[in-house]
């Protein structure tokens, strides 16, 4: 369709009509505007004039490449078609159908929709003046467990299928200083005492540089003593602290007169079994259980430290 | 602890309108009638004690809302959530859907004369409209209708609260089949002139 | 429209606790003292008329909240509390506990390869798992298992109902001692010899 020719001439002739297309929501909106501007009876639209004005108005569309230009062009085509039909002589016997009928119908309907839109706008504004209680917890301190859980069993199941033991090769071998656990030390003492009757505290610290190990070992010793699994003995202040295995039939520590005889502690160094939890002298990975991947997704603060109760 | 208090607690704690039968679920001693009676009691109590809020019938349910005249005092609080207003195209599209539901996109676009896919999606995102059925025609088009949220957003009790059909001109009351290719059919409709 | 009503409207509509000086912003006629007086008036009115809500002073300010004794009636309304989902780590930890209970934290961490204290606490907060026993071994570790709420939520009658265990990965299916290669400290009583 050639809009350029018709449009440019009409624009000069009807340039009293300045139309900002951005203001319009579409071709029907623009048409209604043109009709109302000129106080035209919607049922008797002067189709030739309105068509010319419409074409002139959408000139800007072509240059601006506005989104929705096609809709305006489509309407332009419809108007041109109606204009042409209006010029044709009515044939005898044919239903007296005004070519404008559909357009009028659409315009009326659209106008109605706009009226309803305005009603909605008013209702929206009125409703907007009233407020529901802002969402607040219904109680001062709601338990997290009070909130509904949307997780389904399927969610759990899917993850369950993925659970696999991590490949030991993938594990990062960082041993944070804080990961000294009393469990480890209890285990160290118990294992050491599995082979012998008693063990020196200092020997339990062999290979552990950090002071934390000493503290935890002492605590483990006290704990085992409390549980009557071992007893502790130190002859004089600052002398070696001995940890003794306690058998079921044991009554208590050896009596004062029978101090530990020196022959006990000696063990062939080379044959001492390295407990599995004890870091070996070499740089090979230590006990995987003591290995903590601190960079992982979990809250890193909770390390494998001493389980508090 | 009496029934009115229980109903009040439930209404108070909810962040959306609740139907009487939903409220009744709070306790075995309640049913729909009892709840509605309790709500009338609350409405009277709030009125008598000049509370700044009321129990309002809304979106086929009940909700406690502040009275409109306090709006000016609430304006400056950013802790008070305000729903955003709809745009012109949004309102137009919603008007068409509200009056002609269930309705497909093509018909909406015919009435508005412009493409509406984006607007409909926005309205769906805001839960004001939703797909309510599929059409019979080619491709079984999606048909849209309004939601409870729509009623809530505009403060309507039900869809009957919309301006009544009698108040509308002839054209809208007639459910003429509309569509992209309905132009021919339309011109053969009885003359509206 | 009086000051007490204005303060009430602001308190009601806000979705966060407000301090007296914040509430005072609603109107030029208000200051902190006036607001606090109004709040005391409201507290008295709500008390006298036996409202099911009250104005509560929290660390962050004032809020209108339902009284705690109505909690049981509010539990079944899904419009009230915000639903939430478990995270990926939460799901995995829950799966491990469900299929291998009772299980200690060290073992869970062994399977997951990461620290799990926080996740376990979250699951405990949600009442999906809890401490069900103490281990026999050294340090008497806490052992976790699933709760009645877990069964209710996922719709199982008992732990034995957990479905399709035969499809599970070996680590969850078989009661092999976890961390066996690391020594027997986790699963067997140390030999006191």
């Amino acid at each position: 369709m050639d809009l350029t020719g018709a449009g440019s001439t009409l624009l000069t002739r009807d340039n009293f009509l300045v139309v900002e297309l951005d203001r319009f929501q579409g071709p029907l909106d623009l048409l209604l505007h043109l009709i109302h501007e000129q106080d035209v009876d919607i049922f008797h639209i002067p189709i030739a004039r309105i068509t010319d004005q419409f074409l002139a108005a959408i000139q800007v569309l072509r240059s601006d490449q506005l989104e929705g230009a096609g809709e305006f062009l489509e309407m332009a085509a419809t108007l041109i078609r109606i204009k042409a039909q209006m010029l044709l002589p009515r044939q005898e016997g044919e239903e007296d159908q005004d070519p404008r009928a559909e357009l009028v119908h659409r315009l009326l309907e659209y106008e109605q929709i706009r009226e309803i839109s305005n009603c909605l706008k008013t209702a929206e504004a009125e409703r907007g003046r009233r407020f529901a209680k802002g969402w607040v917890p219904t109680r001062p301190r709601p338990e997290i467990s009070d909130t509904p859980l949307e997780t389904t069993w399927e969610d759990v199941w899917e993850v369950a299928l993925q659970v696999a033991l991590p490949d030991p090769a993938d594990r990062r071998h960082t041993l944070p200083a804080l990961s000294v656990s009393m469990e480890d030390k209890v285990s160290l003492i118990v294992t050491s005492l599995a082979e012998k009757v008693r063990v020196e505290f200092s020997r339990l610290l062999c290979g552990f540089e950090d002071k934390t190990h000493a503290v935890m070992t002492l605590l483990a010793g006290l704990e085992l003593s409390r549980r009557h699994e071992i007893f502790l003995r130190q002859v004089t202040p600052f002398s070696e602290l001995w940890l003794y295995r306690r058998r079921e039939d044991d009554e208590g520590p050896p009596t004062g007169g029978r101090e530990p005889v020196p022959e006990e502690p000696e063990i062939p160094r080379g044959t001492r079994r390295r407990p599995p939890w004890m870091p070996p002298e070499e740089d090979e990975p230590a006990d995987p259980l003591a290995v903590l991947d601190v960079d992982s997704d979990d809250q890193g603060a909770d390390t494998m430290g001493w389980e508090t109760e | 602890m009496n029934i009115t208090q229980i109903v009040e607690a439930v209404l108070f704690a909810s962040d959306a309108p609740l139907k009487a039968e939903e409220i009744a679920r709070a306790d075995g001693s309640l049913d729909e009638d009892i709840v509605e009676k309790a709500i009338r009691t609350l409405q009277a109590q709030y009125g008598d004690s000049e509370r700044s809020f009321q129990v309002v019938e809304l979106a086929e349910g009940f909700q406690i809302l502040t009275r409109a005249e306090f709006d000016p005092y609430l304006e400056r609080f950013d802790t008070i959530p305000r729903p955003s207003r709809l745009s012109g195209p949004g309102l137009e599209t919603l008007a068409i859907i509200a009056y002609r539901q269930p309705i497909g996109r093509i018909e909406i676009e015919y009435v508005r004369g412009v493409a509406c896919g984006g607007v409909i999606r926005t309205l769906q995102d805001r839960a004001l409209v939703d797909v309510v059925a599929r059409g019979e025609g080619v491709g079984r088009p999606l048909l849209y209708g309004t939601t409870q949220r729509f009623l809530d957003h505009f403060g309507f009790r039900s869809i009957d609260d919309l301006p009544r059909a009698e108040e509308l001109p002839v054209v809208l009351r007639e459910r003429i089949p509309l569509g992209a290719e309905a132009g021919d059919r339309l011109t053969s409709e009885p003359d509206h002139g």
Side-chain angles (χ1 to χ4, degrees), chain A, chain B:
Chain A
M1 102 193 58
D2 180 16
L3 297 172
T4 327
S8 53
T9 51
L10 290 163
L11 192 62
T12 50
R13 201 177 68 198
D14 288 335
N15 64 358
F16 63 93
L17 195 72
V18 181
V19 173
E20 289 171 64
L21 276 179
D22 291 357
R23 280 175 42 208
F24 297 97
Q25 312 229 342
L28 289 171
D29 198 10
L30 172 57
L31 260 186
L32 274 181
H33 171 79
L34 294 173
I35 288 165
H36 290 316
E37 267 309 85
Q38 298 164 74
D39 212 11
V40 168
D41 179 359
I42 201 163
F43 293 104
H44 297 96
I45 300 170
I47 201 78
R49 193 168 98 213
I50 293 290
T51 302
D52 291 347
Q53 289 171 346
F54 187 89
L55 293 175
I58 66 168
Q59 284 300 298
V60 288
L61 269 183
R62 294 164 55 80
S63 50
D64 289 12
Q65 293 292 308
L66 278 184
E67 212 179 308
E71 292 148 357
F72 285 92
L73 294 177
E74 197 184 329
M75 179 56 72
T78 305
L79 288 171
I80 290 166
R81 182 172 54 80
I82 294 170
K83 186 175 155 190
Q85 281 174 350
M86 295 286 283
L87 295 172
L88 291 174
R90 304 278 164 91
Q91 284 177 2
E92 282 298 318
E94 197 178 310
E95 189 86 19
D96 189 13
Q97 177 73 46
D98 190 325
R100 296 171 295 186
E102 188 207 339
L103 184 64
V104 169
H105 171 89
R106 287 187 68 183
L107 285 170
L108 282 174
E109 185 170 55
Y110 183 68
E111 196 159 33
Q112 261 321 299
I113 288 301
R114 285 214 313 203
E115 277 175 27
I116 295 165
S117 298
N118 285 334
C119 293
L120 289 181
K121 197 171 181 176
T122 310
E124 184 184 47
E126 191 51 37
R127 172 68 181 85
R129 298 178 64 207
R130 321 188 59 153
F131 296 89
K133 184 172 69 63
W135 197 92
V136 287
T138 54
R139 286 135 280 175
R141 296 204 176 277
E143 297 287 316
I144 301 174
S145 57
D146 282 342
T147 61
L149 183 65
E150 283 191 344
T151 300
T152 63
W153 179 250
E154 278 307 304
D155 299 333
V156 181
W157 177 254
E158 251 172 56
V159 173
L161 293 179
Q162 306 303 317
V163 174
L165 281 174
D167 180 357
D170 289 345
R171 292 189 169 224
R172 243 170 288 178
H173 300 298
T174 50
L175 188 64
L178 281 175
S179 71
V180 183
S181 82
M182 190 171 74
E183 287 177 30
D184 287 346
K185 295 307 176 191
V186 166
S187 203
L188 170 64
I189 295 166
V190 168
T191 314
S192 301
L193 290 178
E195 295 174 6
K196 332 177 270 182
V197 179
R198 61 177 190 171
V199 65
E200 306 100 307
F201 183 74
S202 59
R203 175 166 301 209
L204 292 171
L205 302 184
C206 277
F208 297 102
E209 307 287 353
D210 200 286
K211 240 182 278 175
T212 322
H213 286 272
V215 172
M216 207 50 87
T217 307
L218 179 63
L219 289 171
L222 293 171
E223 165 68 9
L224 285 171
S225 164
R226 190 183 64 78
R227 277 148 53 174
H228 304 290
E229 292 181 28
I230 67 166
F231 55 83
L232 307 169
R233 189 157 183 88
Q234 190 176 35
V235 182
T236 56
F238 304 109
S239 68
E240 181 63 75
L241 177 68
W242 289 88
L243 290 80
Y244 282 80
R245 182 171 71 205
R246 182 173 192 147
R247 291 201 180 77
E248 270 88 49
D249 51 346
D250 276 346
E251 295 298 315
T255 54
R258 294 166 56 228
E259 280 307 317
V261 273
E263 66 265 21
E264 271 270 27
E266 110 290 29
I267 311 148
R269 282 257 152 179
T271 62
R272 190 172 73 110
R273 185 169 72 94
R274 180 172 63 83
W277 30 259
M278 179 181 274
E281 281 76 27
E282 317 85 66
D283 271 325
E284 78 170 49
D287 170 13
L289 281 170
V291 170
L292 185 64
D293 185 353
V294 287
D295 295 322
S296 70
D297 56 349
D298 280 316
Q299 292 87 332
D302 192 84
T303 63
M304 300 173 65
W306 195 2
E307 180 106 52
T308 50
E309 293 164 37
Chain B
M1 206 175 311
N2 62 44
I3 282 164
T4 308
Q5 285 178 306
I6 295 170
V7 171
E8 180 180 51
V10 173
L11 275 174
F12 185 85
S14 170
D15 62 355
L18 290 174
K19 294 184 203 302
E21 69 258 33
E22 288 173 319
I23 298 169
R25 264 181 242 144
D27 193 56
S29 66
L30 302 177
D31 67 24
E32 212 171 315
D33 289 340
I34 294 173
V35 167
E36 287 187 359
K37 198 157 156 261
I39 286 172
R40 282 195 295 279
T41 305
L42 285 174
Q43 284 170 329
Q45 287 178 356
Y46 290 180
D48 291 347
S49 57
E50 299 189 312
R51 299 267 69 90
S52 56
F53 40 78
Q54 299 168 308
V55 187
V56 174
E57 200 173 345
L58 184 67
E60 297 171 339
F62 298 93
Q63 192 171 15
I64 306 182
L65 297 179
T66 54
R67 277 158 54 196
E69 60 261 41
F70 292 96
D71 180 37
Y73 301 103
L74 304 178
E75 257 171 11
R76 25 201 125 168
F77 290 93
D78 49 13
T79 53
I80 294 173
R82 286 169 182 270
S84 58
R85 304 277 166 93
L86 290 170
S87 65
L91 287 169
E92 274 188 24
T93 307
L94 206 45
I96 297 166
I97 295 174
Y99 275 88
R100 309 204 67 167
Q101 55 190 313
I103 184 172
R105 182 174 54 80
I106 305 280
E107 287 173 281
I108 298 168
E109 288 177 345
Y110 181 76
V111 175
R112 288 196 63 221
V114 293
C116 299
V119 184
I120 295 172
R121 243 189 325 279
T122 306
L123 294 174
Q124 270 187 294
D125 287 346
R126 297 192 56 171
L128 296 166
V129 306
D130 208 354
V131 174
V132 293
R134 301 212 62 151
E136 283 299 308
V138 187
R140 313 226 51 209
L142 303 173
L143 301 183
Y144 299 91
T146 55
T147 59
Q148 298 270 332
R149 180 68 71 86
F150 164 82
L151 296 175
D152 186 357
H153 184 83
F154 293 99
F156 298 133
R157 273 170 303 178
S158 75
I159 203 79
D160 299 331
D161 267 7
L162 287 164
R164 299 190 65 79
E166 296 90 271
E167 297 158 18
L168 301 173
V170 180
V171 241
L172 257 190
R173 268 194 289 160
E174 293 175 10
R175 292 280 171 119
I176 299 159
L178 295 175
E181 289 152 6
D184 298 331
R185 270 182 288 150
L186 278 171
T187 46
S188 63
E189 286 293 322
D191 191 5
H192 300 281

